[in-house]
């Protein structure tokens, strides 16, 4: 599972507050991803990183930002949480460009009231 | 634009049945087709994968059938068990790309 951990695992917050989710991997994988999972929508890519300080937007990036200052850590920030961002967030990693299997973390369940 | 279409969205079978989940893709450049299995409260994990140079791949009770001309692939679960109850995602990617395209998932329930 590439030793991927996510924190926190559960969070309840209020509309308008900033929230940061953390993903940590121990396998020195180059690529990291943030997805959100919602019923009927499957996994949707929010942002991804292809190296330290190298990130790009996915299909549902509005309202989210990311940072990757170290290979092992990839942070997802909800700048001002909204109820539509209530979801389960998954981090994933991929070893390198020749790899094909993504490894997923256990997920963070976020509730925005 | 959904590049990988997965069906059905949900599926209920009895123990011993053979659930079949289908996926169709549009991009002919895709050359790797994995299936991920996700149990409640867990992240997805790779179950089985296939490349377009073969038409079928089996791993235990799980089989992928691949039809390159129709741009379709499917997952069959032989002798399904209640422990197979999970959400299944198909995906597709192409060599050199590190961003797979996922289907929307199928929730499978296997009744005892």
């Amino acid at each position: 599972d590439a030793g991927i951990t996510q924190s926190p695992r559960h969070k309840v917050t209020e509309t308008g507050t900033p929230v940061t989710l953390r993903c940590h991997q121990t396998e020195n994988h180059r690529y990291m991803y943030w997805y959100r999972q919602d019923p009927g929508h499957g996994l949707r890519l929010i942002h991804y990183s292809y190296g330290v300080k190298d990130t790009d937007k996915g299909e549902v990036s509005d309202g989210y930002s990311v940072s990757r200052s170290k290979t092992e850590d990839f942070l997802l920030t909800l700048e001002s949480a909204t109820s539509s961002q209530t979801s389960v967030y998954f981090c994933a990693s991929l070893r390198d460009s020749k790899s094909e299997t993504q490894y997923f973390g256990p997920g963070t369940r976020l509730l925005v009231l | 634009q959904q590049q990988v279409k997965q069906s059905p969205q949900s599926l209920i079978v009895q123990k011993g049945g053979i659930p079949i989940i289908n996926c169709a893709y549009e991009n002919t450049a895709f050359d790797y087709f994995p299936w991920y299995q996700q149990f409640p409260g867990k992240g997805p994990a790779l179950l089985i994968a296939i490349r377009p140079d073969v038409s079928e791949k089996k791993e235990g009770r799980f089989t992928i059938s691949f039809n390159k001309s129709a741009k379709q692939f499917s997952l069959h679960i032989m002798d399904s068990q209640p422990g197979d109850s999970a959400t299944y995602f198909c995906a597709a990617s192409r060599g050199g790309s590190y961003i797979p395209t996922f289907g929307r998932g199928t929730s499978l329930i296997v009744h005892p």
Side-chain angles (χ1 to χ4, degrees), chain A residues 33 37 42 48 90 100 102, chain B residues 32 36 38 51 89 98-99:
Chain A
Y33 311 78
Q37 184 176 17
Y48 62 95
F90 287 99
E100 290 162 324
Q102 282 187 313
Chain B
Y32 180 70
Y36 287 81
Q38 181 186 28
R51 295 189 181 282
F89 292 97
Y98 44 85
I99 304 176

Side-chain angles (χ1 to χ4, degrees), chain B residues 2 5 8 27 30 43 46 48 50-52 58 60 62 67 75 80-81 94-95 102 106 112:
Chain B
Q2 187 182 358
K5 295 184 178 179
N27 188 345
F30 288 147
L46 180 68
I48 185 173
I50 197 168
R51 295 189 181 282
K58 291 183 179 180
F62 299 90
N67 186 328
L75 177 69
S80 59
Q81 302 295 313
R94 59 179 175 83
F102 283 91
T106 296

Side-chain angles (χ1 to χ4, degrees), chain A residues 2 9-11 15 27-28 33 43-44 48 55 57-58 61-64 67 70 76 83 86 98 106 110-111:
Chain A
R9 294 294 314 280
H10 302 271
K11 185 170 183 65
T15 298
E27 298 294 323
N28 200 37
Y33 311 78
L43 294 164
R44 291 184 290 176
Y48 62 95
T55 65
K57 297 179 179 180
S61 60
D62 288 348
Y64 302 94
S67 66
K70 297 185 291 184
L76 176 70
S83 58
T86 291
K98 296 183 179 180
L110 177 67
L111 175 61

Side-chain angles (χ1 to χ4, degrees), chain B residues 6-24:
Chain B
Q6 183 172 347
S7 62
Q9 185 172 350
S10 62
L11 188 56
I12 301 174
V13 299
Q14 292 295 125
K15 177 182 176 181
I18 306 176
I20 300 173
I21 305 170
N22 301 297
C23 285

